Amino acid sequence: MLDTPVRGAVPEQALQAIQRLIRDGGYQPGDVLPSQRDLAERLGVSRASLREALSSLSALGIVSVQPGKGVFVQALQAGNGAPAKEFSWPYAEQISAADTFQLRYVLEGFAAGQAANALTADAIDALAENVDAMRVELRAGNFDAAARLDFEFHRRILEASGNQAFLNIVTASEAIFLESQKLPFIRPERAMETWQEHRKILRCLSRHAADAARKAMQEHIRNAASRTGVVFSI
């Protein structure tokens, strides 16, 4: 049903191709898509890239992946080809959402590792207060307030890293970074995942475990991107 296979084993390309397949193939909610093996071959992507794409589409409510049964369509796309719950990214003319998350993955992962060795007890206490406050706002459904706490959490870690260039990048583009922290909340039922991931990062920082903090931060940013339908390989 696709005119050409996807070029390059990139999850984001696979995600877009699956959306086209659903739209152009006449699939309805409840219909099962071809097997993952067949999908990977038809789209010209690796199985790993396909799994990432399906995970993101599942997070957006477009498909349901049922082990042993198959991949089922959950929601139809709008007439313009956009998925039913696609996010709106207001900075597309400056930088894509995917590029923003990739920048954060590299920059903030390194910063978390550096911060783990530099954070004082008072600074860790301030991060813990931030995490607690986010939990309160998320439970109340105050997602704008939660996103600002999210931004502050990440800014404090960047500041603690001691790299002024990192902090300047974030400060100069605060609106873009803040928007990327609002995006994961388009799925309110998964909003608490952000809080849980912050808790994990905080635990690593509290132990001054640099490598674990770096990995926890990178995992968090990839997960946050995935919750918005943005996928990328490293």
Side-chain angles (χ1 to χ4, degrees):
M1 297 178 186
L2 297 177
D3 294 333
T4 58
V6 176
R7 299 300 179 189
V10 179
E12 186 173 2
Q13 291 176 310
L15 182 149
Q16 294 169 355
I18 295 168
Q19 291 177 12
R20 289 197 300 271
L21 175 63
I22 293 172
R23 181 185 68 239
D24 298 341
Y27 287 94
Q28 299 295 315
D31 289 348
V32 62
L33 295 178
S35 70
Q36 292 192 33
R37 179 179 178 179
D38 288 344
L39 277 175
E41 291 179 354
R42 292 174 66 176
L43 303 182
V45 300
S46 69
R47 293 289 293 275
S49 294
L50 179 68
R51 284 194 295 270
E52 287 191 54
L54 290 174
S55 176
S56 293
L57 289 171
S58 177
L60 289 169
I62 304 300
V63 302
S64 172
V65 181
Q66 300 181 25
K69 295 183 179 179
V71 179
F72 293 83
V73 176
Q74 279 193 297
L76 295 179
Q77 295 172 304
N80 62 1
K85 296 184 179 180
E86 190 172 14
F87 63 82
S88 174
W89 180 249
Y91 302 101
E93 293 185 1
Q94 298 170 249
I95 186 173
S96 71
D99 285 350
T100 301
F101 280 113
Q102 288 175 21
L103 171 64
R104 291 185 57 198
Y105 178 93
V106 175
L107 185 153
E108 296 190 49
F110 181 84
Q114 296 294 101
N117 294 319
L119 280 165
T120 65
D122 286 345
I124 290 172
D125 286 344
L127 286 172
E129 290 176 3
N130 174 286
V131 171
D132 289 342
M134 173 180 274
R135 178 173 177 267
V136 172
E137 298 295 354
L138 287 176
R139 286 198 163 186
N142 298 327
F143 298 124
D144 282 345
R148 293 192 176 279
L149 287 166
D150 191 346
F151 178 83
E152 181 64 17
F153 179 85
H154 288 267
R155 188 197 64 78
R156 286 178 179 271
I157 293 172
L158 285 164
E159 191 174 54
S161 76
N163 190 310
Q164 190 61 41
F166 287 175
L167 190 59
N168 287 347
I169 290 172
V170 175
T171 301
S173 304
E174 179 174 338
I176 293 174
F177 277 77
L178 179 59
E179 189 68 24
S180 76
Q181 283 150 331
K182 291 179 181 179
L183 285 183
F185 301 141
I186 63 171
R187 300 288 294 177
E189 69 275 15
R190 298 186 63 187
M192 293 303 291
E193 292 179 25
T194 296
W195 171 72
Q196 292 164 350
E197 290 161 10
H198 279 205
R199 286 183 67 204
K200 182 177 180 179
I201 294 167
L202 179 60
R203 285 196 298 269
C204 296
L205 293 172
S206 299
R207 298 198 310 268
H208 302 288
D211 191 52
R214 175 182 60 80
K215 290 179 179 178
M217 178 63 80
Q218 291 175 333
E219 179 184 35
H220 164 53
I221 292 173
R222 286 196 69 183
N223 288 344
S226 178
R227 286 192 284 273
T228 73
V230 174
V231 290
F232 56 89
S233 295
I234 298 296

